[in-house]
Amino acid sequence: MKVLMYIRRDYKDNMAGDSIQLTKTMEYLLKRGLQIEVSSDPRANLEKYDLIHLFNTIRIEDTYQFYKNAKKYKKKIVISPIYWNYIKYIALNKRTEILHYRWYKQNILRKEVLQNANLILPSSLTEMKEVEKEFNISIPYKVIPNGVDTIFEEDTSERFYNLYELEDFILCVGRISPHKNQLTLSKVANKLNIPLILVGPINDYSYYYECLKHNKELIYVPKVNHHELNSFYSAAKLHVLVSWYEIPGLVNLEAGLSGCNLLTTAEGSTKDYLGHYALYSTYENINDIETKISRAIKQERNDILRKHIRHNFTWEIVADKLINAYETLV
């Protein structure tokens, strides 16, 4: 089986959830003997492929071009939508009117791509319900969850302790941006006098400096090698990701597999993955975030969540599900 994975041109330079989903999925499918290639060329010759796999309907302009090229070659299309209705969060952005207009205009493209795919591959049932509700479509789908690399189960905390003399700290991994809500986290950690480590690239420098203004003791670590993150996860008592929404937040799975206690957003598909093994809050509920951090930081690390993730969400499991989905079309 020859599959082309079509993704935005900057997926390596601007790493996000779709980047990791593609690269890890490809890695494990290649191990299973599938022939997988990646392209960001909307004019690529697709003759040799049995199937085209599209990623990401949030960045729909790129995906729409890839879709049009696949239709030109009369290829079967599967799509991982990585979709959540962003409209309620636009009010949090300074450019509200422009973003409203752009989002609704882009929805025309999203609907065309989704309703003409041969199979939709949502990462959760919650995500699929969001797609069906927003676009009023009913198309065949198979839930293909996001996965996690089993390397995050290894205890490499010694590497962390060689660099930092910290215990019982809060960890937050993710790009520094309003969407990830590190400003609220910085304020709460400062109030509770709990050390906070932020790890990830800075998308918004003015936002980062605002975080630093409210928590002068926070430790910022620029983006590190994906596997090197494990030393941070292994040492952390608590990982917090109280974003606007997550579907479901790959770092939640990584931190959970390492044994971290988790406090994450209730918005999105987090509960499909983490069930009752994590704590939840919403981005605007500062008092609730504070209460739950105070509670979770005192608990032992979470072996029950670790086992739940290992048995349901490793990339090996994801690859098996994805191959079964491909085989329904090829």
Side-chain angles (χ1 to χ4, degrees), residues 254-269:
E254 294 169 357
L257 187 62
S258 80
C260 286
N261 296 321
L262 298 187
L263 170 60
T264 191
T265 177
E267 301 199 32
S269 60

Side-chain angles (χ1 to χ4, degrees), residues 90-102:
I90 287 177
L92 304 175
N93 193 294
K94 297 175 183 176
R95 297 165 61 239
T96 300
E97 288 187 16
I98 297 173
L99 291 174
H100 261 101
Y101 172 77
R102 182 182 296 171

Side-chain angles (χ1 to χ4, degrees), residues 268-326:
S269 60
T270 50
K271 292 182 180 179
D272 293 60
Y273 286 74
L274 307 173
H276 60 276
Y277 304 111
L279 295 174
Y280 302 92
S281 191
T282 52
Y283 63 90
E284 79 278 19
N285 195 337
I286 297 179
N287 289 336
D288 188 54
I289 292 169
E290 180 181 333
T291 298
K292 287 175 178 172
I293 286 177
S294 298
R295 170 181 158 194
I297 200 72
K298 298 172 184 175
Q299 296 174 342
E300 295 299 317
R301 281 169 53 86
N302 199 328
D303 196 50
I304 299 175
L305 174 59
R306 183 205 301 262
K307 291 176 181 176
H308 168 70
I309 292 173
R310 184 200 309 136
H311 292 150
N312 293 283
F313 300 114
T314 64
W315 284 117
E316 290 92 342
I317 293 170
V318 172
D320 287 341
K321 290 178 181 291
L322 188 52
I323 290 171
N324 290 337
Y326 285 168

Side-chain angles (χ1 to χ4, degrees), residues 57-327:
T57 59
I58 300 296
R59 291 273 298 266
I60 191 60
E61 292 96 339
D62 291 339
T63 306
Y64 185 77
Q65 293 183 62
F66 304 151
Y67 151 76
K68 294 294 283 186
N69 197 38
K71 295 300 284 186
K72 171 185 170 183
Y73 282 90
K74 297 182 171 62
K75 294 297 179 180
K76 291 186 176 178
I77 298 170
V78 301
I79 182 165
S80 297
I82 315 178
Y83 176 81
W84 198 255
N85 188 355
Y86 191 72
I87 203 69
K88 70 176 285 189
Y89 311 102
I90 287 177
L92 304 175
N93 193 294
K94 297 175 183 176
R95 297 165 61 239
T96 300
E97 288 187 16
I98 297 173
L99 291 174
H100 261 101
Y101 172 77
R102 182 182 296 171
W103 182 262
Y104 283 121
K105 187 175 180 180
Q106 290 173 341
N107 267 353
I108 299 171
L109 306 183
R110 292 186 182 99
K111 183 168 184 175
E112 181 180 344
V113 173
L114 289 164
Q115 69 183 3
N116 286 287
N118 297 95
L119 188 65
I120 298 180
L121 306 176
S123 63
S124 68
L125 185 58
T126 297
E127 182 186 353
M128 190 62 204
K129 288 179 178 177
E130 187 81 357
V131 168
E132 291 174 333
K133 178 179 69 175
E134 178 64 22
F135 299 104
N136 192 28
I137 58 176
S138 180
I139 329 201
Y141 71 90
K142 288 185 178 294
V143 173
I144 307 296
N146 281 304
V148 61
D149 200 316
T150 53
I151 191 170
F152 291 105
E153 196 168 14
E154 299 173 11
D155 184 354
T156 58
S157 56
E158 184 177 350
R159 188 186 310 161
F160 173 89
Y161 292 128
N162 287 337
L163 296 172
Y164 304 95
E165 295 181 1
L166 282 179
E167 293 184 358
D168 295 344
F169 63 91
I170 300 167
L171 176 66
C172 178
V173 177
R175 67 185 188 277
I176 312 300
S177 71
H179 175 101
K180 299 295 181 180
N181 200 26
Q182 288 99 342
L183 180 56
T184 293
L185 182 56
S186 298
K187 292 176 180 177
V188 171
N190 183 63
K191 181 179 179 181
L192 295 174
N193 196 28
I194 300 174
L196 170 62
I197 298 180
L198 304 181
V199 180
I202 298 176
N203 277 23
D204 185 328
Y205 275 90
S206 63
Y207 185 77
Y208 166 68
Y209 290 124
E210 189 74 8
C211 294
L212 196 58
K213 183 176 84 172
H214 286 277
N215 190 334
K216 293 181 172 54
E217 302 302 317
L218 79 78
I219 298 170
Y220 169 64
V221 181
K223 183 180 176 183
V224 298
N225 179 284
H226 195 220
H227 285 173
E228 289 177 3
L229 279 175
N230 195 37
S231 65
F232 290 84
Y233 291 136
S234 297
K237 175 72 72 71
L238 172 64
H239 186 273
V240 179
L241 187 68
V242 282
S243 316
W244 296 348
Y245 68 88
E246 291 292 341
I247 47 175
L250 292 175
V251 296
N252 278 327
L253 296 178
E254 294 169 357
L257 187 62
S258 80
C260 286
N261 296 321
L262 298 187
L263 170 60
T264 191
T265 177
E267 301 199 32
S269 60
T270 50
K271 292 182 180 179
D272 293 60
Y273 286 74
L274 307 173
H276 60 276
Y277 304 111
L279 295 174
Y280 302 92
S281 191
T282 52
Y283 63 90
E284 79 278 19
N285 195 337
I286 297 179
N287 289 336
D288 188 54
I289 292 169
E290 180 181 333
T291 298
K292 287 175 178 172
I293 286 177
S294 298
R295 170 181 158 194
I297 200 72
K298 298 172 184 175
Q299 296 174 342
E300 295 299 317
R301 281 169 53 86
N302 199 328
D303 196 50
I304 299 175
L305 174 59
R306 183 205 301 262
K307 291 176 181 176
H308 168 70
I309 292 173
R310 184 200 309 136
H311 292 150
N312 293 283
F313 300 114
T314 64
W315 284 117
E316 290 92 342
I317 293 170
V318 172
D320 287 341
K321 290 178 181 291
L322 188 52
I323 290 171
N324 290 337
Y326 285 168
E327 287 176 344

